[in-house]
Amino acid sequence: MAGNKPTTIKEIARKLKISPSTVSRALNDHPSIGLVTTMRVKKMAEEMAYEPNQTAIFFKQRKTFTIGVILPKLSEPFFSEAISAIENVAEDKKYTVLLGQSLDEENRELNIIQTFKKHRVDGILISLSKTTGDMDFLQTLAKTEIPIVFFDCVPDLKDVHKVYSDLSSGMEEAISAFVDRGHQNIALINGPESLLASKERAEAFQQALQKKGIDKKNAFIVHTDLTEKGNEAAMEKICNLADRPSAVVSFNDFVTLDLIRYAKQRGIVLNQDMFFISYANYPLWKYMDNPPMGSIEQYPDQQAQKAAEILFDCIDKKEYTTTPQDVVYPSKLVLK
Amino acid sequence: MAGNKPTTIKEIARKLKISPSTVSRALNDHPSIGLVTTMRVKKMAEEMAYEPNQTAIFFKQRKTFTIGVILPKLSEPFFSEAISAIENVAEDKKYTVLLGQSLDEENRELNIIQTFKKHRVDGILISLSKTTGDMDFLQTLAKTEIPIVFFDCVPDLKDVHKVYSDLSSGMEEAISAFVDRGHQNIALINGPESLLASKERAEAFQQALQKKGIDKKNAFIVHTDLTEKGNEAAMEKICNLADRPSAVVSFNDFVTLDLIRYAKQRGIVLNQDMFFISYANYPLWKYMDNPPMGSIEQYPDQQAQKAAEILFDCIDKKEYTTTPQDVVYPSKLVLK
DNA sequence: TTGTAAGCGTTATCAT
DNA sequence: ATGATAACGCTTACAA
């Protein structure tokens, strides 16, 4: 029941009294091998339960048919949807997926990249950790010629492949929806200022307000560190304002969950005293008795799929230095 | 920017005019190599940006430092928590995780196993797809001596490692909670009959009722295929019963979400006309205005961690045939 | 303390 | 159509 070393090509060859190279060729349907031999070899391989040793093949071919995927957190629906999309593309290409969660910690992210490099993955897909500032690892990766495609949370660099969501389209829709319903006093509860994602939201917010002719004086921006306490603190600030905003755009749906709960505690009635829209469009809303007014879909599956496709393009072409792709998908408001 | 082949040990050796074996040993801190040589080698390796070619090492050592994890669906919090726990253990052991989602389809599951086998993973962790009936792949895996540990959804076999949750403890608590609150008419909305998980729930249900002295005539069991429609159909049956149950245990929280929604449509008031308890203890309840009465925690992280630990035990001991572990964690009712 | 050489399983090149 | 041989990069007896 144990101890049987896996069958090798050599053993098949010996048994059949032919050479290993013939066996190899037969197994790979090489045209120059006679039909009979091919059949004989395949039959014997079957009998001996031959399984090619991929580690040897990976080694020889300098290719692992493996891509590494780095995400902040799988428990966020956004990313679990993304990974599913990636898996599907990978499966079609007969690739396997190595997984790493950065948990939004930069050093974890670097470790994972290091591991992936050691494993000689053929490519890397990454949605950056929210704390990543240092892009030096790109240099190292460039040396190894491992292609890398960023998606969702992408770096502010020119010469890299990236796929991301344009936050401003959704923001415009959100502000329009608010203003059209009579709101004049609108707040943004944004993420940490250090984040690119926050900067983008802030800009989009300002521009959208401007477009709708709302005075900036009526626009408040507060920040949260995205923890529960931070979210509540942000909400507290909003609520304590002299003229309390009646509409809030928040960083994402998770934040909104906390905001709504806090608001309720303060006796603020959802969708009456105060209205919310946030990014993500998480599926759970449909089960809530009192969902927020809307949520902005960012299409994680589309983003991830496109990113994977670009990555495989790089891999297939073996051109590490193909012109960098910069793909943007508009985000879209979904009213609840 | 391109074309540079990665540095090899040989090149370092040549540059230093010593033998490759010395370089290899120095790099691995082999005690027999002089300190000076070791330093010199390491310095040169650094300078030449040497990265060991793991594919060669994997090949040589017949080990990939990779484990494969197969889960039904990452978007279920249960499994995303599980994978995080597994990742943590793997990280400590310097292992990498290959990921595959079965999406509860048996053939996908088999494909993934095939791929993992080809990749020569050192071990496999799997929570079976809900449709998996055929355990033949175990035979094949046994031949390759790849250790495998089942968790959560485990097969009904004696001689395999498995870690799972004892559904009955939570069920007993649930039934007790119901009965103590005066409910006499209790229903179980169970999963597909083909599932082991359903059989276990059904048995636990019957036994718990018996323990509490509830007449079986007052206990209804209906099945759902776990789709939204199926869940609603199951609920409809319950609601149409002559004496409608006032308490429902359901297969899991996802099912309960649909049940509650349907109940509301029919004008049934939650936690007044009807009370719910289900398995999973999903985190979202805390944000619901009207959560069900309770949920049964199954500790995915504990299960997954233990399973991973057992797997690494198998791997480390290189004893494929260690006595099969059978670890059970009690489930626990959490009132909301 | 260091060097030599064999070998892991496969494939590709060159012969035959 | 098939065989012999080398090579991928690394480790590890065995020698020196």
Side-chain angles (χ1 to χ4, degrees):
Chain A
M1 97 172 286
N4 334 329
K5 294 257 175 295
T7 314
T8 70
I9 280 191
K10 280 186 190 172
E11 285 159 6
I12 299 179
R14 205 179 313 138
K15 211 117 187 180
L16 255 37
K17 295 182 198 297
I18 56 179
S19 87
S21 28
T22 306
V23 175
S24 169
R25 285 186 275 239
L27 255 16
N28 292 301
D29 291 308
H30 194 289
S32 78
I33 299 297
L35 191 63
V36 263
T37 321
T38 304
M39 297 295 280
R40 259 164 40 89
V41 168
K42 287 197 173 172
K43 186 151 162 280
M44 181 57 79
E46 175 84 36
E47 276 173 29
M48 301 177 70
Y50 170 74
E51 290 271 358
N53 183 340
Q54 289 288 352
T55 64
I57 297 173
F58 293 161
F59 171 46
K60 181 119 226 285
Q61 319 224 309
R62 299 150 170 283
K63 218 168 155 346
T64 58
F65 297 97
T66 301
I67 60 168
V69 178
I70 305 175
L71 305 166
K73 225 168 170 305
L74 274 171
S75 59
E76 292 189 24
F78 185 93
F79 294 114
S80 61
E81 280 179 47
I83 190 89
S84 293
I86 292 168
E87 257 205 305
N88 286 338
V89 181
E91 201 191 348
D92 286 348
K93 298 287 261 174
K94 306 283 179 203
Y95 267 68
T96 314
V97 173
L98 273 177
L99 177 72
Q101 292 187 73
S102 68
L103 304 178
D104 281 320
E105 293 165 35
E106 183 167 14
N107 63 329
R108 281 189 63 105
E109 197 168 68
L110 291 174
N111 278 335
I112 296 167
I113 290 183
Q114 197 58 34
T115 315
F116 284 179
K117 232 168 56 187
K118 278 169 78 169
H119 276 254
R120 292 285 211 267
V121 295
D122 295 338
I124 292 181
L125 284 173
I126 179 169
S127 172
L128 286 176
S129 135
K130 296 195 177 49
T131 62
T132 302
D134 190 354
M135 285 293 134
D136 283 356
F137 66 84
L138 281 179
Q139 308 290 339
T140 333
L141 278 181
K143 275 201 193 110
T144 64
E145 299 190 17
I146 300 179
I148 182 166
V149 178
F150 297 86
F151 74 98
D152 176 47
C153 199
V154 305
D156 198 4
L157 296 171
K158 272 256 155 251
D159 52 351
V160 298
H161 299 286
K162 47 186 171 179
V163 180
Y164 53 99
S165 170
D166 168 25
L167 303 177
S168 64
S169 53
M171 181 67 85
E172 276 179 29
E173 293 179 279
I175 299 299
S176 286
F178 280 148
V179 173
D180 293 350
R181 283 165 179 71
H183 298 278
Q184 288 286 320
N185 209 335
I186 305 174
L188 170 65
I189 295 193
N190 208 352
E193 288 190 83
S194 55
L195 257 62
L196 182 59
S198 297
K199 284 185 201 114
E200 288 171 354
R201 280 166 173 78
E203 257 176 51
F205 181 64
Q206 314 265 23
Q207 285 184 5
L209 289 178
Q210 203 175 2
K211 255 192 187 166
K212 275 293 185 175
I214 302 284
D215 190 344
K216 272 196 183 175
K217 281 173 189 161
N218 290 326
F220 303 95
I221 299 185
V222 296
H223 292 272
T224 163
D225 57 4
L226 303 177
T227 65
E228 189 173 331
K229 285 200 195 318
N231 297 339
E232 288 177 0
M235 189 62 187
E236 196 182 357
K237 271 189 209 156
I238 297 282
C239 293
N240 288 340
L241 285 172
D243 50 346
R244 204 171 66 194
S246 59
V248 173
V249 180
S250 101
F251 189 77
N252 68 27
D253 287 347
F254 281 149
V255 173
T256 295
L257 281 170
D258 286 328
L259 303 183
I260 289 178
R261 205 170 44 158
Y262 178 86
K264 202 173 158 195
Q265 277 173 32
R266 302 243 327 203
I268 296 167
V269 179
L270 184 66
N271 295 327
Q272 182 180 316
D273 301 334
M274 206 178 266
F275 294 74
F276 294 88
I277 292 177
S278 42
Y279 284 90
N281 194 26
Y282 283 150
L284 70 167
W285 294 131
K286 88 171 187 187
Y287 291 109
M288 305 278 280
D289 288 337
N290 270 306
M293 188 174 124
S295 184
I296 301 170
E297 174 68 56
Q298 296 176 275
Y299 306 101
D301 42 354
Q302 268 188 42
Q303 281 189 54
Q305 183 182 332
K306 184 66 185 174
E309 285 167 359
I310 293 175
L311 183 64
F312 283 115
D313 265 7
C314 295
I315 294 176
D316 290 342
K317 286 183 191 150
K318 281 182 185 166
E319 288 179 32
Y320 175 60
T321 39
T322 155
T323 51
Q325 302 258 16
D326 189 316
V327 182
V328 186
Y329 290 102
S331 57
K332 195 168 163 9
L333 174 65
V334 181
L335 292 171
K336 299 292 164 190
Chain B
M1 86 179 290
N4 333 328
K5 292 259 173 295
T7 314
T8 70
I9 279 191
K10 278 187 193 170
E11 285 159 6
I12 300 181
R14 204 180 314 140
K15 214 130 194 169
L16 255 35
K17 295 182 198 298
I18 56 180
S19 87
S21 39
T22 305
V23 175
S24 168
R25 285 187 274 241
L27 255 16
N28 292 299
D29 291 308
H30 194 288
S32 78
I33 300 295
L35 191 62
V36 263
T37 320
T38 305
M39 298 295 281
R40 259 163 40 90
V41 168
K42 288 198 173 173
K43 186 152 163 280
M44 181 58 78
E46 175 82 37
E47 275 174 30
M48 301 176 68
Y50 170 74
E51 290 272 357
N53 182 339
Q54 289 288 351
T55 63
I57 297 175
F58 294 160
F59 172 46
K60 181 103 227 280
Q61 318 224 310
R62 301 150 165 285
K63 222 170 153 340
T64 57
F65 296 96
T66 301
I67 60 169
V69 178
I70 307 175
L71 304 166
K73 224 168 169 307
L74 273 171
S75 59
E76 292 190 23
F78 185 94
F79 294 115
S80 61
E81 281 180 45
I83 190 89
S84 293
I86 293 168
E87 257 206 306
N88 286 336
V89 181
E91 201 190 348
D92 287 348
K93 300 286 262 174
K94 308 282 179 202
Y95 268 67
T96 314
V97 173
L98 273 178
L99 178 71
Q101 292 187 73
S102 67
L103 304 178
D104 282 319
E105 293 164 35
E106 184 167 13
N107 63 331
R108 280 189 64 106
E109 198 168 66
L110 292 173
N111 276 337
I112 296 168
I113 290 184
Q114 197 59 34
T115 315
F116 285 179
K117 232 168 55 186
K118 278 169 76 170
H119 276 255
R120 291 286 209 268
V121 295
D122 294 338
I124 292 181
L125 284 173
I126 178 169
S127 172
L128 287 176
S129 134
K130 296 196 178 46
T131 61
T132 302
D134 190 355
M135 285 292 135
D136 284 355
F137 67 84
L138 281 179
Q139 309 289 340
T140 333
L141 278 181
K143 276 202 194 109
T144 64
E145 299 189 16
I146 299 179
I148 181 165
V149 178
F150 297 87
F151 75 99
D152 176 47
C153 200
V154 304
D156 199 4
L157 295 171
K158 272 255 155 250
D159 53 349
V160 299
H161 300 286
K162 46 184 169 180
V163 180
Y164 53 99
S165 171
D166 169 24
L167 304 177
S168 65
S169 52
M171 182 67 85
E172 277 180 28
E173 294 180 279
I175 299 298
S176 286
F178 280 149
V179 174
D180 294 351
R181 282 164 178 75
H183 298 278
Q184 288 284 322
N185 210 333
I186 306 173
L188 171 65
I189 296 192
N190 208 354
E193 287 190 83
S194 55
L195 257 62
L196 182 59
S198 297
K199 285 184 199 118
E200 288 171 356
R201 279 165 172 79
E203 259 177 49
F205 182 63
Q206 313 267 22
Q207 284 185 5
L209 289 179
Q210 203 175 2
K211 255 194 187 164
K212 275 293 185 175
I214 302 283
D215 191 343
K216 274 194 182 175
K217 283 174 190 160
N218 290 327
F220 303 95
I221 300 186
V222 297
H223 293 271
T224 163
D225 58 4
L226 304 176
T227 64
E228 189 172 331
K229 286 203 195 316
N231 297 338
E232 287 177 359
M235 189 63 186
E236 195 181 357
K237 273 190 208 158
I238 296 282
C239 292
N240 288 339
L241 285 172
D243 49 347
R244 202 171 68 194
S246 60
V248 173
V249 180
S250 100
F251 188 78
N252 68 28
D253 287 349
F254 281 147
V255 173
T256 295
L257 282 170
D258 285 328
L259 302 183
I260 290 178
R261 206 170 43 159
Y262 178 85
K264 202 173 158 193
Q265 278 173 29
R266 303 245 322 203
I268 296 169
V269 178
L270 183 65
N271 295 325
Q272 181 180 316
D273 301 336
M274 207 178 266
F275 294 75
F276 293 88
I277 292 178
S278 43
Y279 284 91
N281 194 27
Y282 282 148
L284 70 166
W285 294 131
K286 86 171 188 188
Y287 291 108
M288 304 279 279
D289 287 338
N290 272 306
M293 186 172 126
S295 184
I296 300 170
E297 174 68 54
Q298 298 177 273
Y299 305 102
D301 43 353
Q302 269 188 40
Q303 282 189 52
Q305 183 181 332
K306 183 66 184 175
E309 285 166 0
I310 294 175
L311 183 65
F312 283 117
D313 265 7
C314 295
I315 294 176
D316 290 341
K317 286 183 190 150
K318 282 183 185 166
E319 291 178 31
Y320 174 61
T321 40
T322 157
T323 52
Q325 302 258 18
D326 190 316
V327 182
V328 186
Y329 289 102
S331 56
K332 197 169 163 2
L333 175 65
V334 181
L335 292 172
K336 297 295 163 189

